[in-house]
Amino acid sequence: IRKGRLPNLSQLGGLGSETYTDEVYERIVSRICVLKSLDYVKESLHQLKPLNHEDSIIHPEHGVDSAIIRSLLTFVLVENLLCQLDGQEVVEIGAGIATFAATVMTLSTPKRYTIYDLPDILELQKLFLRRVLPSSKFDRIRFCSAHEISGNESFDLVYSTYAFSELEFSVAEKYLENVVKQSKVGFMTYNHLGSKFHVRNMEIFDLCKRLLAGDSCTESIEIRADELFKLGAGGDPSCCNVLWRMR
């Protein structure tokens, strides 16, 4: 994507999705069913079908691509392990094509959903979300430039898949102080690939130490084996989910 030039949304089919085998789909559905009923899964997948891109690889039985089934799993984990999202102030750091945001806005009704990302990517997210959400849902989403982090707001949930863990250290510190610490609970999927891409990122234990430092309001931190990519779907085997609560 060249700066200032956005491709047609039709050219982004499958962005953020991978090719999952039937076994991986069934493992993800089985993991969701530990927390929710099979009827819930079927109804949720039915509601999420409009989020598919025309060119993405759709599972013939479940009717969604891998990015959507992954987002449903994460949505269920967040709601069961941290908080229900209806009426909440949610903020996401680095939303990709915004599949998770679309999933949240389809299956729940947050008070507001804020996305921090690079300006060109925000424009892509707007194109996608306008296409898949009704205006009443789209109008609850706020798009904020990563270059303009204010720190004057509070949130109920901060969420990030990989994006935070891939930020350069000084940028991650800015988000930590102005967004992460201003949120009551947090859920991040963390990878450990900074050195591979020559990025001095904030390692997971640096994040935990900073959440607990000084007169911290952090009540608990939990590091869980990643329930997305250890299902056999590829990815960095060292990935993990980090969850925390503030007092």
Side-chain angles (χ1 to χ4, degrees), residues 118-210:
L118 298 172
D120 283 353
I121 303 301
L122 291 174
E123 295 305 312
L124 290 176
Q125 293 160 358
K126 291 175 187 177
L127 288 172
F128 172 64
L129 292 169
R130 278 199 185 99
R131 181 175 71 80
V132 300
L133 295 176
S135 58
S136 60
K137 294 275 190 175
F138 179 83
D139 290 344
R140 292 176 181 265
I141 303 175
R142 188 177 57 145
F143 301 89
C144 298
S145 169
H147 304 306
E148 300 173 357
I149 305 172
S150 68
N152 297 321
E153 301 176 84
S154 60
F155 304 96
D156 294 299
L157 167 73
V158 57
Y159 172 85
S160 183
T161 299
Y162 299 140
F164 183 88
S165 63
E166 295 172 354
L167 293 172
E168 196 279 327
F169 195 92
S170 63
V171 179
E173 280 191 313
K174 188 173 182 181
Y175 273 110
L176 179 67
E177 294 301 322
N178 295 290
V179 178
V180 173
K181 288 186 176 181
Q182 310 308 316
S183 305
K184 295 178 182 177
V185 299
F187 186 108
M188 289 186 183
T189 301
Y190 230 83
N191 69 32
H192 303 84
L193 300 178
S195 58
K196 179 178 179 180
F197 298 109
H198 308 290
V199 174
R200 180 177 173 260
N201 61 324
M202 184 177 290
E203 296 287 347
I204 188 169
F205 293 109
D206 287 324
L207 170 65
C208 293
K209 285 191 292 185
R210 281 164 170 74

Side-chain angles (χ1 to χ4, degrees), residues 80-108:
N80 279 266
L81 300 175
L82 289 173
C83 64
Q84 299 292 302
L85 297 182
D86 285 340
Q88 302 295 307
E89 289 274 1
V90 180
V91 58
E92 182 171 4
I93 299 172
I97 193 61
T99 302
F100 184 70
T103 297
V104 170
M105 298 307 293
T106 299
L107 299 180
S108 64

Side-chain angles (χ1 to χ4, degrees), residues 46-105:
H46 177 73
Q47 292 181 59
L48 294 174
K49 285 181 181 180
L51 308 189
N52 286 315
H53 287 285
E54 291 182 3
D55 296 330
S56 59
I57 300 174
I58 310 301
H59 190 275
E61 178 183 350
H62 300 301
V64 298
D65 63 28
S66 62
I68 295 172
I69 195 79
R70 207 166 57 227
S71 289
L72 176 58
L73 171 58
T74 307
F75 174 81
V76 170
L77 288 170
V78 169
E79 287 226 318
N80 279 266
L81 300 175
L82 289 173
C83 64
Q84 299 292 302
L85 297 182
D86 285 340
Q88 302 295 307
E89 289 274 1
V90 180
V91 58
E92 182 171 4
I93 299 172
I97 193 61
T99 302
F100 184 70
T103 297
V104 170
M105 298 307 293

